[in-house]
């Protein structure tokens, strides 16, 4: 399960890269104009889809504009440089994190900068509607926005829709001396997140049909056709913490005294009951009073557009998976007011501004082609502030492989593509009898249905259905920590100079070897009752890795790991630290059998039987060494222990 931002968001992201000491989005060089004072261009504020051919003419002067002017702070270059140094184990500043107050005092916007920005916006006729440590929000008409940002706003065709966007890059007065990072909201194409994490909507009950394997291979589909020349097992009923903890080397660690935050949109009204019921039923430690917190907005918006109830299950999975692997970690759920980027950014900012946790699990994202540079800049600034404070962000890498089948274009997901976050890929996991780790393969599924006569699989191995996201970014330069580890062929796939490759690390994601989750759902008779079902996707992998990082932080004596990529890649190649995941670890081909209720509830609508082939992730491949499905691999027995004393 993982969330996938809707395809209505436009543009191409431009995230900061670690070797750069400039902020995520540099201001242009001031230039004098014959008709006015010098201005500084805010590069990337004109989306790539706003082309001359798509131009439908000027937007009406009276049309409304709601925008955010993000503040660069007093030292954007210093913020990026310190974020790199404090995260790099080879740096003398490694681990010397700042408090939220210290970070804001050293790198945040000054009162004078905020006052100057507000004065500029008001003088153009815009109304200031809000001020935070990160941005000034404004509203007004098109005419006022054009005056403030030095650009005309036109209507542009984008697919079947028409949206407003700047005709050229926006700009700010040079007299502000670089106080403005970027501006978002000048284009009014929807900027939102969604979730395609193989999660059924919680407002209607969903159940898995049996037979199941309780551990991998425990029940063979002896009456069904063979695959790869042998009988295959039934899919897992759903692993629990008891099976996942030893698979990833938890040992004696439980995440005690470590704080984990989870972000999604909205909030499940039954999360406390569901999480408590699940833990009790499956032998996880009982939730202690005050161990689970929720930080929620005063109001929710766009609930129908975003499918608010569909996010309840995402929160449920994330909370239950974190607790299953790190049962003593303190968990804070931070719900966004909607699935739109502005609201999700606000949730991340709450965590950073109040240092609510050291580890943040995020099971949502979008394809890179839908990212816009203004939002990439805003996200990266939050990630950099987090790194300075010892906060690490973990993002699921996607559920559609190379994205060709879903979007028509080979691309990675965002914010997982940011050089400032840990991108979490996915695996198919085999845990055997006695909770023993057997193997993992890169998550990628092909499906073939049972033939009408029941004697074969139609068009075996079938068509690609889903798989872990990964590949090479087209917009983010290669970060230093990937150099010399990521194969050159991958790094230079889109640019000779080298780009960021996703993911960094991986964990269980395949729904066929997935996680059992418990959630209150609505049954056909209208009653709401707790029930359980199997789930998967990189939305499972992200909280699992976040929980493993909590174990590692506990092993480290409680000292925050912070932005983890430099330390993860530093451990690459060390014996016993990572499982080196490959496509076909057994050498004999891998597949499981599944029987599903056609109606998702019971046998009254019929049954569908299929074979699910494992380790077939679109054009992506899990190979020996680093790869674009699982990164450096999944945590092995020595991973958590490797942080002890370091």
């Amino acid at each position: 399960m993982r969330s996938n931002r809707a395809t209505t968001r436009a543009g191409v992201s431009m995230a900061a890269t670690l070797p750069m000491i400039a902020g995520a989005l540099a201001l242009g060089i001031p230039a004098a104009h014959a008709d006015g004072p010098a201005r500084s261009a805010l590069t990337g504020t004109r989306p790539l889809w706003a082309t001359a051919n798509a131009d439908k003419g000027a937007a009406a002067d009276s049309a409304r504009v709601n925008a955010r002017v993000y503040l660069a702070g007093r030292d954007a270059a210093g913020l990026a440089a310190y974020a790199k140094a404090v995260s790099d184990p080879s740096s003398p500043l490694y681990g010397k994190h700042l408090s939220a107050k210290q970070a804001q005092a050293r790198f945040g916007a000054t009162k004078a900068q905020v006052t100057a920005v507000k004065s500029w916006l008001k003088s153009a006729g815009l109304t200031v509607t809000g001020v935070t440590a990160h941005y000034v929000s404004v509203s007004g008409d098109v005419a006022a926005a054009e005056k403030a940002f030095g650009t005309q706003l036109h209507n542009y065709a984008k697919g079947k829709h028409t949206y407003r966007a700047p005709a050229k890059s926006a700009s700010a007065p040079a007299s502000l001396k670089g106080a403005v990072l970027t501006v978002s909201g000048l284009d009014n194409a929807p900027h939102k997140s969604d979730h395609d994490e193989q999660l059924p909507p919680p407002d209607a009950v969903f159940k898995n049909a049996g037979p199941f394997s309780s551990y991998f291979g425990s029940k063979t589909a002896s009456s069904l056709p063979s695959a790869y020349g042998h009988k295959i097992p039934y899919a897992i009923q759903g692993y629990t913490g008891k099976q996942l903890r030893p698979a990833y080397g938890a040992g004696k660690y439980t995440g005690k005294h470590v704080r984990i935050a989870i972000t999604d949109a909205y909030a499940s009204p039954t999360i406390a009951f569901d999480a408590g019921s699940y833990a009790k039923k499956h032998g996880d430690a009982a939730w202690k009073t005050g161990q689970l917190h929720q930080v929620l907005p005063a109001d929710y918006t766009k609930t129908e557009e975003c499918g608010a109830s569909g996010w309840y299950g995402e929160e449920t999975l994330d909370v239950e998976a974190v607790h299953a692997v790190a049962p003593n970690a303190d968990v804070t759920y931070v719900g966004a007011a909607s699935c739109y980027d502005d609201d999700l950014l606000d949730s991340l900012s709450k965590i950073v501004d109040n240092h609510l946790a050291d580890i943040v699990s995020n099971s949502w994202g979008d394809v890179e082609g839908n990212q816009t540079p203004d939002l990439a800049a805003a996200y990266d600034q939050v990630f950099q502030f987090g790194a300075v404070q010892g906060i690490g962000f973990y993002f699921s890498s996607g559920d559609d492989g190379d994205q060709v089948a879903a979007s028509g274009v080979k691309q990675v997901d965002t914010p997982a593509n940011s050089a400032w976050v840990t991108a979490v890929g996915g695996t198919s996991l085999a845990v055997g009898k006695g909770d023993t780790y057997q193997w993992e393969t890169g998550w990628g599924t092909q499906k073939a249905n049972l033939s009408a006569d029941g004697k074969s699989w139609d068009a075996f191995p079938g068509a690609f259905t889903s798989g872990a996201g990964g590949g090479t970014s087209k917009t983010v330069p290669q970060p230093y920590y990937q150099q010399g580890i990521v194969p050159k062929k991958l790094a230079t796939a889109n640019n000779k100079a080298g780009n960021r490759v996703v993911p960094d690390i991986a964990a269980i994601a395949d729904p066929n070897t997935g996680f059992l989750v418990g959630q209150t759902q609505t049954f056909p008779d209208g009653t709401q009752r707790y029930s359980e079902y199997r789930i998967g996707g990189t939305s499972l992998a992200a909280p699992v890795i976040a929980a493993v990082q909590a174990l590692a932080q506990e092993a480290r004596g409680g000292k925050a790991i912070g932005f983890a990529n430099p330390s993860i890649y530093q451990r690459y190649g060390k014996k016993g630290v990572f499982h080196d995941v490959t496509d076909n670890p057994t050498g004999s081909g891998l597949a499981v059998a599944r029987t599903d209720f056609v109606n998702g509830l019971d046998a009254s609508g019929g049954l569908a039987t299929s074979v699910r082939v494992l380790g077939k992730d679109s054009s992506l491949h899990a190979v020996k060494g680093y790869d674009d499905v699982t990164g450096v691999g999944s945590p092995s027995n020595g991973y958590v222990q490797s942080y002890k004393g370091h």
Side-chain angles (χ1 to χ4, degrees), residues 232-258:
I232 57 177
Y234 280 104
I236 296 295
Q237 183 172 12
Y239 292 129
T240 63
K242 183 174 179 290
Q243 293 164 301
L244 295 185
R245 279 178 49 80
Y248 294 128
K252 65 181 181 180
Y253 298 106
T254 61
K256 190 175 182 179
H257 301 312
V258 180

Side-chain angles (χ1 to χ4, degrees), residues 27 38 40 69 112-113 115-118 120 172-180:
L27 294 177
S40 296
V69 178
Q113 286 177 319
T115 299
V117 169
K118 288 168 61 180
W120 154 54
S175 59
L176 293 175
K177 299 179 181 179
V180 177

Side-chain angles (χ1 to χ4, degrees), residues 262-533:
I262 295 165
T263 68
D264 287 309
Y266 308 108
S268 168
T270 60
I271 187 61
F273 173 81
D274 293 342
S277 299
Y278 183 87
K280 183 177 181 180
K281 186 172 180 179
H282 297 289
D284 298 336
W287 287 88
K288 300 179 182 69
T289 301
Q291 188 181 0
L292 176 61
H293 323 264
Q294 292 203 89
V295 176
L296 306 176
D299 299 296
Y300 297 110
T301 62
K302 304 179 178 69
T303 54
E304 290 188 12
E305 182 182 351
C306 294
S309 62
W311 288 85
Y312 301 166
E314 178 65 72
E315 177 188 357
T316 304
L317 167 67
D318 294 349
V319 169
E320 291 177 359
V322 161
H323 186 70
V325 177
N328 283 321
D330 182 90
V331 179
T332 299
Y333 174 75
V334 184
S338 80
C339 66
Y340 275 61
D341 282 294
D342 282 350
D343 290 325
L344 289 162
L345 269 165
D346 283 347
S347 292
L348 295 171
S349 295
K350 286 178 184 177
I351 296 169
V352 171
D353 294 346
N354 300 287
H355 204 133
L356 298 179
D358 294 331
I359 297 163
V360 189
S361 176
N362 310 274
S363 294
W364 46 269
D366 190 15
V367 294
E368 185 176 68
N370 288 339
Q371 178 64 291
T372 51
D374 52 353
L375 286 167
Y379 275 113
D380 278 348
Q381 187 186 61
V382 173
F383 300 149
Q384 290 168 4
F385 266 104
V388 163
Q389 296 177 42
I391 301 172
F393 297 87
Y394 300 82
F395 276 88
S396 50
S397 69
D399 288 359
D400 295 304
D402 63 11
Q403 285 289 347
V404 171
S407 71
V409 178
K410 188 174 183 178
Q411 57 185 315
V412 297
D413 276 29
T414 183
N417 67 337
S418 171
W420 295 97
V421 307
T422 300
V424 184
T427 70
S428 303
L429 171 66
V431 176
K433 189 175 183 179
D435 305 328
T436 56
Y437 177 95
Q438 292 184 334
W439 48 259
E440 280 175 285
T441 183
W443 171 39
T445 304
Q446 290 179 307
K447 173 186 175 182
N449 293 319
L450 184 65
S451 63
D453 62 9
K455 295 181 179 180
S456 64
W457 303 111
D458 287 336
F460 182 84
F464 173 76
T465 64
S466 55
T472 307
S473 170
K474 295 178 182 176
T475 62
V476 182
Q478 185 181 44
Y480 81 94
Y481 52 76
Q482 288 196 325
Q483 293 172 5
I485 294 176
V486 173
K488 185 177 180 181
K489 185 177 180 180
L490 284 177
T492 60
N494 297 320
N495 187 324
K496 289 183 179 180
N499 281 18
R500 166 104 161 98
V501 183
V502 173
D504 300 302
I505 195 169
I508 178 174
D510 183 357
N512 301 293
T513 65
F515 181 70
L516 194 65
V517 69
Q519 182 188 355
T520 297
Q521 299 182 85
T522 303
F523 284 72
D525 62 2
T527 61
Q528 292 186 348
R529 305 195 300 273
Y530 175 89
S531 75
E532 298 184 341
Y533 53 90

Side-chain angles (χ1 to χ4, degrees), residues 603-624:
S604 65
L607 298 172
T609 302
S610 61
V611 60
R612 308 298 175 102
V613 173
L614 313 184
K616 302 289 185 181
D617 190 7
S618 55
S619 66
L620 310 178
H621 299 285
V623 299
K624 187 174 177 58

Side-chain angles (χ1 to χ4, degrees), residues 12 14 25-27 40-50 68 149 151 153 164-172 180-187 191 372-375 377:
V12 179
M14 184 175 65
L25 189 63
L27 294 177
S40 296
L42 304 175
T43 56
T45 47
R46 180 192 180 194
L48 295 185
W49 48 265
R68 284 186 176 184
F149 299 107
T151 181
L153 300 181
R164 185 187 66 230
K168 67 176 183 179
S169 292
S171 62
V180 177
L181 176 70
T182 189
V183 56
S184 67
L186 296 184
D187 79 76
H191 295 260
T372 51
D374 52 353
L375 286 167

